[in-house]
Structures are given as structure tokens and as C-alpha cells.
């Protein structure tokens, strides 16, 4: 076939979620997914640390995560193929955000919003933190926020494959090709041109190209601040155990969590990193030596003696405007949809984003969650969403 009702560009977790939800809601649709690298070797979905949290500061992001955790719990049944249930190893030890006196008020304000929208997050004093986590250095802390449920981590590659396998079982066609152009006129994308010379006629097109979304949007004449941002994840071991260890967000911005017999950790990139450095997947080992390890050792005394094991780098599909997802119909288009700029939250937001885009295409509006606040029009109005809990 060369003509489809919907062509989705990008077959990672977002594109595959859109594809699955479209076919689950409308089995008669012809849906194609164009993925440049079917091995997913360098895909953000395969290289993600794959966590989910309720601790956001905006109601829309909290609602998306609440939708997401419920979907992940039902995933083995919902995405089963021929009776075989996928496993993603979801665990829920929670997130622990730490704050000094300078950040305590913001943490408390966020907690009030979270609890008002159904998130079970406890505020802990330094004494309560020390009692619950005796391995934690609390001398400089004023407050901690701990997710008591609905927060944790999972196998992100397993989630991607579960969406992809179910979508294919429902009849979605996956193509291993690179998109080189979008033919568009009068507010409609009519054709998606592929690198091999073929082209696909489409009734609707979806930009789910992850860190390449900005380049794809430009093919439709759209200028959005969507860029790849390199994030490094470091693996290390520690001879001491840390009972009941959650995913911890330190006051320094460094984070860590247990991962089997090891720990993984990371930090925001250096301010001076160039676009070329962000475009690469070369690990910045100096970031571990200069930033991550010193912060780890200061927060957890047992981490003064650790053994470095491994590291990898992946890409955030970063929205430089406000670090929140851009979901909705592209401005000036009737049939071109955006699901971009998740800025590190794509894994946990993929169930809601995929369902939402599918509903927009099929019904012209949202039915499950109202994601209109995340629409691209806010960029044109210069009205950013202020999300205080960005990692």
C-alpha cells in the first residue's frame, strides 16, 4: 500500500502509542509508522532511564502521570498478543525530592497541588527523613517529598516493544525508512516522501520523531524550538545496601536510584555543552567525576566508596520553550499533528499522549484527558507552561 488514513513519522514509544490507540479505537483505519532505525539502537525510547512520577507542579502533568501509571499496571492484559502478556517490570518505590531551606517553600507549594489532584505525596522533616532512610545525610535539608505510591520505574524498551507488537498485531504497518520531505498545501499534508524514493499518501500525518521532531516540523514550514539534548546515565556499585531506596532527586540536581544489584545516576548537562555535543551520544565521563560522584558522596556517605561500572547516553527530545510536551494539531494545518518536546518525560507520558492524539484525529477533540493546555498555540502566544519540577 502507498495510501494510508494516518502516517506516523517516528516509531518510538510515542509513535507506537499513537498507532496502538488509533487501531484500538478504530480498527478499520489504515495506519503506517515510518521509523528510521527499526533496531532502535540509538532511539530515546531504548536509552531512557524509564521512570514515572506524580511529583509535578502543574495539574495537567499530574493528570497525565496518573493516567500513565494506571495504564502501566493494566499493560500486561491490555497489550497482550495471542495470549502472551508483555512484562515491563514496574516497581513503585517512589521518588524522593530533597530541599534546603531555599527550596522548601516551593516543595510545599507543589505538594499542595499534587495532593489536591490525587497524588499521594508525603512531606518529611529532616528527622523523619533520617529515621526512614538512615543512610541519608540530612544536615543541610529542610524538607523532603516522598511518593508513597504511583511512582517508580520500569523497562522502557519493554514498553516500546509492547506498544509496537500490539500495534502490528492490530494491523499497523511499520516501515524502515527515513522521511525526507512532507508535501503540503492549503493547510494539509498530502504526502510523505521517503528516502528510497517512495511516497505515502495520507489522510492525516503525525510528527512523533522524538529528538528529530524539529527537523520534521521544518519540512512543513514550522519553526519550533525542538532539539536533541544529550543525557548521560552512569552505572555504579556500592558494597553497602540502601534499604527502601527510592529514586532520589538531590538538591544539587543529581539523581540516583537502585537498578538490580547496581545503582544508576545522572545530572543535567553542563551549561557550556554545544549543539554538536548534544547531537552526539558520546558519554561525558567527566560529568561523573566532576559533578555526579561528589554530589552522591555528600548525600550518601556510603557512596564515598563506589565502583564505576558502565555508562550510556541518550537523547531528550527537548522543548526549549518551556520543557513541556507539545501535543495537538499543528498551527495552520487541518491534518498534521504534533506529539513532541517531552523533554525527558516521554516514557511516562506516552500512554496519555498516544490516546490523546488518537482522539484528536478520530473525534476532533479530547475524550479521556483534556490536553489542550499542551497545544502548540501557547508557543505562538508566548505563554509558557511553568512546570517547576523538571529534572
Amino acid at each position: 500500500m502507498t495510501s494510508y488514513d494516518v502516517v506516523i513519522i517516528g516509531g518510538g514509544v510515542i509513535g507506537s502509542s499513537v498507532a496502538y490507540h488509533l487501531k484500538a479505537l478504530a480498527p478499520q483505519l489504515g495506519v503506517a509508522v515510518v521509523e528510521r532505525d527499526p533496531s532502535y539502537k540509538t532511539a530515546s525510547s531504548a536509552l531512557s532511564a524509564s521512570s514515572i512520577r506524580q511529583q509535578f507542579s502543574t495539574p495537567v502533568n499530574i493528570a497525565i502521570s496518573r493516567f500513565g501509571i494506571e495504564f502501566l499496571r493494566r499493560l500486561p492484559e491490555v497489550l497482550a498478543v495471542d495470549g502472551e502478556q508483555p512484562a515491563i517490570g514496574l516497581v513503585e518505590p517512589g521518588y524522593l525530592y530533597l530541599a534546603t531551606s531555599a527550596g522548601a517553600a516551593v516543595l510545599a507549594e507543589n505538594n499542595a497541588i499534587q495532593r489536591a489532584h490525587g497524588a499521594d505525596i508525603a512531606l518529611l522533616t529532616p528527622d523523619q527523613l533520617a529515621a526512614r532512610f538512615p543512610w541519608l545525610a540530612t544536615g543541610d535539608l529542610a524538607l523532603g517529598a516522598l511518593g508513597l505510591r504511583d511512582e517508580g520505574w520500569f523497562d522502557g524498551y519493554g514498553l516500546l516493544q509492547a506498544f509496537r507488537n500490539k500495534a502490528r498485531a492490530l494491523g499497523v504497518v511499520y516501515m524502515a525508512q527515513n522521511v525526507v520531505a512532507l508535501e503540503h498545501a492549503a493547510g494539509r499534508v498530502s504526502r510523505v516522501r521517503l528516502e528510497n524514493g517512495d511516497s505515502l499518501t495520507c489522510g492525516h500525518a503525525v510528527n512523533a520523531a522524538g529528538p528529530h521532531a524539529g527537523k520534521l516540523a521544518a519540512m512543513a514550514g514550522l519553526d519550533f524550538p525542538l532539539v536533541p539534548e544529550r543525557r548521560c546515565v552512569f552505572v555504579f556499585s556500592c558494597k553497602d545496601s540502601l534499604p527502601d531506596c527510592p529514586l532520589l532527586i538531590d538538591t544539587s540536581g543529581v539523581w540516583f536510584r537502585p537498578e538490580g544489584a547496581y545503582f544508576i545516576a545522572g545530572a543535567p548537562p553542563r551549561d557550556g555543552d554545544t549543539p554538536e555535543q548534544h547531537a552526539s551520544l558520546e558519554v561525558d565521563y567527566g560529568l561523573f567525576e566532576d559533578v555526579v560522584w561528589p554530589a552522591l558522596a555528600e548525600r550518601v556517605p556510603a557512596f564515598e566508596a563506589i565502583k564505576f561500572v558502565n555508562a550510556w547516553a541518550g537523547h531528550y527530545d527537548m522543548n526549549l520553550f518551556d520543557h513541556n510536551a507539545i501535543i495537538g494539531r499543528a498551527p495552520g494545518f487541518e491534518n498534521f499533528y504534533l506529539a513532541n518536546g517531552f523533554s525527558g518525560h516521554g516514557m511516562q507520558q506516552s500512554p496519555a499522549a498516544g490516546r490523546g492524539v488518537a482522539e484528536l484525529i478520530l473525534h476532533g477533540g479530547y475524550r479521556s484527558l483534556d490536553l489542550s493546555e499542551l497545544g502548540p498555540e501557547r508557543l505562538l502566544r508566548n505563554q509558557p507552561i511553568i512546570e517547576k519540577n523538571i529534572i
Side-chain angles (χ1 to χ4, degrees):
M1 290 179 59
T2 59
S3 180
Y4 293 88
D5 295 305
V6 184
V7 173
I8 301 166
I9 300 113
V13 72
I14 298 295
S16 293
S17 176
V18 174
Y20 157 70
H21 281 101
L22 279 169
K23 290 294 283 186
L25 293 172
Q28 76 281 3
L29 285 183
V31 179
V33 175
V34 182
E35 169 53 45
R36 61 197 296 270
D37 178 19
S39 74
Y40 296 102
K41 183 179 179 180
T42 62
S44 298
S45 299
L47 299 170
S48 168
S50 307
S51 306
I52 185 166
R53 59 185 165 105
Q54 310 297 311
Q55 293 191 61
F56 289 93
S57 68
T58 53
V60 64
N61 282 327
I62 297 169
I64 287 172
S65 283
R66 289 182 61 75
F67 184 98
I69 192 67
E70 292 303 324
F71 185 91
L72 294 182
R73 290 197 185 109
R74 296 184 294 110
L75 180 144
E77 178 182 351
V78 173
L79 298 186
V81 175
D82 296 331
E84 184 174 344
Q85 295 189 345
I88 60 168
L90 174 66
V91 295
E92 300 179 44
Y95 269 63
L96 174 61
Y97 274 83
L98 301 178
T100 63
S101 57
V106 172
L107 204 62
E109 291 168 6
N110 292 347
N111 181 260
I113 296 170
Q114 293 152 8
R115 296 190 67 84
H117 290 84
D120 193 3
I121 313 297
L123 289 180
L124 304 177
T125 66
D127 286 345
Q128 290 171 322
L129 286 168
R132 188 159 190 156
F133 307 111
W135 41 264
L136 188 67
T138 61
D140 63 328
L141 299 179
L143 201 60
L146 176 66
L148 301 179
R149 58 181 174 87
D150 303 335
E151 296 190 322
W153 50 91
F154 55 92
D155 177 0
Y157 186 71
L159 174 61
L160 161 62
Q161 291 297 332
F163 271 134
R164 184 177 186 271
N165 292 339
K166 185 66 173 184
R168 294 181 68 188
L170 293 174
V172 174
V173 176
Y174 276 72
M175 301 179 182
Q177 279 296 326
N178 195 32
V179 172
V180 295
L182 299 177
E183 294 185 12
H184 59 95
R188 294 189 62 83
V189 173
S190 58
R191 194 176 294 270
V192 178
R193 292 173 53 194
L194 308 179
E195 193 171 38
N196 67 353
D198 292 343
S199 61
L200 308 174
T201 303
C202 60
H204 305 269
V206 179
N207 182 347
H212 308 284
K215 294 179 180 178
L216 185 69
M219 294 179 188
L222 300 171
D223 182 15
F224 287 124
L226 299 167
V227 298
E229 182 175 283
R230 179 181 61 172
R231 291 294 178 118
C232 300
V233 180
F234 304 98
V235 185
F236 63 93
S237 63
C238 178
K239 61 181 178 63
D240 295 341
S241 63
L242 274 58
D244 302 318
C245 184
L247 193 157
L248 186 146
I249 313 296
D250 188 43
T251 58
S252 63
V254 170
W255 63 268
F256 73 87
R257 77 167 199 229
E259 183 71 21
Y262 302 102
F263 294 88
I264 63 174
R270 304 171 194 260
D271 290 339
D273 283 357
T274 66
E276 291 75 22
Q277 287 173 313
H278 281 302
S280 85
L281 290 178
E282 183 178 345
V283 174
D284 179 4
Y285 291 97
L287 184 67
F288 183 78
E289 294 289 340
D290 300 337
V291 178
V292 175
W293 190 6
L296 292 175
E298 187 170 343
R299 184 57 60 201
V300 180
F303 284 167
E304 292 179 2
I306 62 176
K307 181 179 179 180
F308 182 85
V309 175
N310 199 0
W312 76 87
H315 280 137
Y316 277 13
D317 59 327
M318 184 62 72
N319 166 17
L320 297 178
F321 178 69
D322 64 8
H323 296 182
N324 284 282
I326 301 173
I327 303 173
R329 188 181 290 108
F333 284 85
E334 299 176 7
N335 70 335
F336 187 38
Y337 299 83
L338 310 176
N340 311 129
F342 290 88
S343 303
H345 307 134
M347 272 292 169
Q348 61 186 297
Q349 296 188 334
S350 62
R355 175 82 181 194
V357 172
E359 291 172 350
L360 278 182
I361 292 172
L362 295 172
H363 308 303
Y366 296 114
R367 300 289 179 87
S368 301
L369 286 178
D370 184 1
L371 304 180
S372 56
E373 185 178 348
L374 297 173
E377 296 80 12
R378 74 181 192 274
L379 281 77
L380 304 182
R381 297 191 302 262
N382 194 30
Q383 293 180 337
I385 296 172
I386 306 302
E387 171 57 64
K388 298 175 184 176
N389 279 14
I390 297 292
I391 302 174

